[in-house]
Amino acid sequence: MKEVTFKEAKEILRIIENNGHQAYFVGGAVRDSLLKRPMGDIDITTSASPETVTKMFSKVIPVGIEHGTVIVRYKGYSYEITTFRSETGYSDHRHPDQITFVRNVEEDLARRDFTINAIAMDYNEKIVDPFQGRIDLSNKVIKTVGNPIERFREDPLRIMRALRFSSQLGFKMDPDTWTAIKENAAWLEKISIERIAVELQKLFAGTYTTHGMHFFINSGVQAYLPILKDHSELVIKWRDLSQPIQSWEELISLFHHYLPKVEVEEWVKSWKLSNKIKRDALHLVRAIAYYDQYQHIDEWLVYQLPRQLDASFIRMLSILTNKSLTIDKMKTIRNNLPIKDRTEIVISGSDIIGLFPMQQKGPWINKLLTMIEKKIVRGEISNEPNELGKWLMTWNPQDID
Ligand code: ATP
Ligand code: MG
């Protein structure tokens, strides 16, 4: 999909303004556009209440009305629109005890984490920057809005966010912000691992990973993170790789390779990752192990790896073996496979049972099918009833262990 730009998004600001309310772009999109980096999604902040915003647009998803947030779908893009608000009291270190809608954008900017994220921009590209975020952008500094200790106490996730921004942007830490991070890293224990996992993924995928890893290691946060806290050798390996890792499944398969005693399942469980990440990591681990054993890429390896993991596998291979393989080579092997999956085999389990009426049913049927599947995929036998039948007649049940 085409990348979203302010040009389309400005229509939204216009609609809100025409309804008599203020509206600004805010957060990452403003920061990234001032840095001339590609922007992620566009967030909008407005004086209009969520109910009022809901009435202005036809496609609105009420993701967090109580926090003042709705998602508006407009001309094929999604925009998070949040009503100006402030937050007070974080007795559980997770959620503000109370959010209050406020009247002006400056008050909204004051609740935001870092000065570089607390810049707003209106329809005419006029900037509202009460915390001198633009100066910190040009000095490449990550600095909290207000007292860093208080801001990290309110929401310790901001500690992880500071580290991930250093990895994404290559920025240094403001001295007071940095001291507060190092002295209060333990507060991370109070927040949910799912929120930490989102930020950690952005950290290890950052363009300036080496830079980010330097701050990560010196901050001491790893002492509060599952698995990593018991395996500092992994963190050192990771730092020495000095390149971005694109996804959790890649990171886990890599770490499992370095430290086989920690299984994929344990990573997924202790970091509360999704089943999809687990499945994909297991696929990558299997493909890497197969490559380790045979030292080459063959049809069977490609066949077993889901197509959407080709790029991940190529990256893992280059990290672990220095071998470079192009996605085109994978594609060529993939496109020449005689079958795409087991259902395409022209004989079935029941055909096999019919051919060997004296054999008791059992796991051998499945093993035999896998043998046939492998032979077809490798081009040793063709997927054609006569030929498979002929081969099966020469097959001896003792051939399977
Ligand atoms: P990205 O490009 O990764 O989306 P972002 O800066 O937009 O980066 P988001 O997590 O999308 O980050 O948050 C949007 C904005 O909301 C931030 O720029 C910041 O102003 C504010 N924000 C997000 N999380 C926090 C937090 N934990 N504490 C304070 N402000 C936050
Ligand atoms: Mg964002």
Side-chain angles (χ1 to χ4, degrees):
M1 191 167 96
K2 191 159 65 75
E3 229 175 75
V4 64
T5 68
F6 284 139
K7 193 165 166 289
E8 289 111 14
K10 275 187 177 180
E11 293 181 26
I12 304 221
L13 298 192
R14 205 10 62 100
I15 293 170
I16 301 177
E17 284 176 359
N18 287 345
N19 279 276
H21 297 274
Q22 302 165 50
Y24 297 85
F25 299 127
V26 73
V30 176
R31 176 196 69 223
D32 292 339
S33 81
L34 290 171
L35 287 173
K36 307 209 173 354
R37 300 171 78 238
M39 338 188 247
D41 38 16
I42 295 185
D43 294 323
I44 292 171
T45 182
T46 176
S47 58
S49 71
E51 293 77 13
T52 312
V53 175
T54 305
K55 287 188 197 129
M56 291 179 209
F57 299 92
S58 55
K59 285 192 203 142
V60 182
I61 310 161
V63 279
I65 293 267
E66 66 286 8
H67 305 112
T69 305
V70 297
I71 287 180
V72 166
R73 296 276 308 157
Y74 185 78
K75 298 197 175 170
Y77 295 103
S78 294
Y79 302 89
E80 220 176 89
I81 306 189
T82 304
T83 305
F84 295 161
R85 63 181 168 92
S86 69
E87 299 167 350
T88 41
Y90 278 76
S91 36
D92 64 355
H93 299 272
R94 290 179 189 207
H95 311 288
D97 296 336
Q98 208 189 345
I99 69 141
T100 322
F101 292 128
V102 295
R103 268 174 310 144
N104 59 52
V105 68
E106 285 83 0
E107 283 181 76
D108 177 273
L109 294 173
R111 71 161 168 101
R112 295 178 181 269
D113 49 6
F114 304 108
T115 59
I116 56 170
N117 290 342
I119 307 172
M121 187 173 100
D122 75 2
Y123 183 89
N124 298 311
E125 306 199 2
K126 196 182 108 227
I127 296 280
V128 183
D129 181 17
F131 305 102
Q132 281 78 50
R134 278 172 300 178
I135 295 180
D136 291 331
L137 277 180
S138 62
N139 292 334
K140 303 189 172 205
V141 174
I142 297 164
K143 183 178 177 183
T144 55
V145 170
N147 180 310
I149 300 175
E150 279 168 25
R151 301 312 309 283
F152 291 139
R153 196 199 327 264
E154 273 174 10
D155 181 2
L157 186 72
R158 293 170 187 156
I159 293 175
M160 281 306 292
R161 287 176 58 86
L163 299 170
R164 77 105 151 157
F165 287 121
S166 79
S167 178
Q168 288 181 314
L169 305 172
F171 281 22
K172 51 194 168 294
M173 301 285 175
D174 162 76
D176 290 343
T177 298
W178 182 229
T179 307
I181 290 176
K182 286 189 294 186
E183 289 181 354
N184 301 296
W187 285 341
L188 273 184
E189 280 185 327
K190 299 181 194 295
I191 50 178
S192 77
I193 197 65
E194 292 95 329
R195 292 180 77 205
I196 297 180
V198 170
E199 299 299 331
L200 189 67
Q201 193 260 320
K202 293 185 176 179
L203 188 157
F204 60 66
T207 315
Y208 303 87
T209 347
T210 313
H211 188 82
M213 286 307 288
H214 164 82
F215 285 111
F216 178 80
I217 289 175
N218 291 305
S219 68
V221 293
Q222 83 170 84
Y224 308 98
L225 302 178
I227 306 180
L228 297 178
K229 67 172 166 228
D230 303 315
H231 296 288
S232 47
E233 73 278 17
L234 269 186
V235 180
I236 299 300
K237 275 227 168 226
W238 182 8
R239 180 198 63 193
D240 294 345
L241 275 180
S242 62
Q243 58 174 303
I245 310 289
Q246 303 298 333
S247 63
W248 265 109
E249 51 274 22
E250 290 177 34
L251 191 77
I252 296 177
S253 57
L254 201 61
F255 280 0
H256 176 66
H257 188 88
Y258 292 144
L259 190 69
K261 75 172 177 200
V262 182
E263 299 289 351
V264 166
E265 286 79 359
E266 194 177 334
W267 280 102
V268 171
K269 194 159 169 245
S270 48
W271 279 87
K272 297 205 180 144
L273 302 169
S274 67
N275 277 328
K276 172 154 193 337
I277 291 177
K278 178 160 93 181
R279 273 196 310 274
D280 289 350
L282 287 169
H283 274 299
L284 288 172
V285 164
R286 181 158 73 166
I288 291 164
Y290 186 93
Y291 182 86
D292 252 6
Q293 192 179 352
Y294 299 102
Q295 295 294 313
H296 75 115
I297 315 276
D298 66 6
E299 292 84 0
W300 186 240
L301 186 156
V302 176
Y303 173 80
Q304 289 191 295
L305 188 72
R307 178 191 301 268
Q308 75 275 10
L309 292 176
D310 282 356
S312 294
F313 176 69
I314 290 171
R315 285 192 289 266
M316 294 297 93
L317 198 69
S318 104
I319 290 177
L320 293 170
T321 67
N322 280 324
K323 284 246 158 45
S324 64
L325 177 74
T326 62
I327 194 104
D328 285 341
K329 168 114 193 274
M330 290 284 277
K331 266 194 197 146
T332 310
I333 299 177
R334 201 173 273 295
N335 292 338
N336 288 327
L337 291 173
I339 54 172
K340 302 284 174 252
D341 62 59
R342 190 176 260 215
T343 61
E344 292 183 19
I345 302 180
V346 295
I347 60 160
S348 65
S350 45
D351 295 333
I352 290 177
I353 295 167
L355 280 168
F356 299 95
M358 308 302 282
Q359 290 286 322
Q360 266 198 3
K361 285 187 201 169
W364 66 273
I365 301 170
N366 203 30
K367 283 189 182 164
L368 179 55
L369 266 174
T370 307
M371 230 165 122
I372 294 171
E373 188 181 17
K374 219 169 182 170
K375 283 186 176 296
I376 294 173
V377 168
R378 288 183 165 151
E380 294 163 11
I381 191 169
S382 70
N383 185 27
E384 193 258 315
N386 272 340
E387 195 167 329
L388 290 177
K390 251 192 264 160
W391 180 81
L392 275 168
M393 294 325 285
T394 65
W395 179 76
N396 181 339
Q398 269 86 55
D399 291 350
I400 281 182
D401 49 274

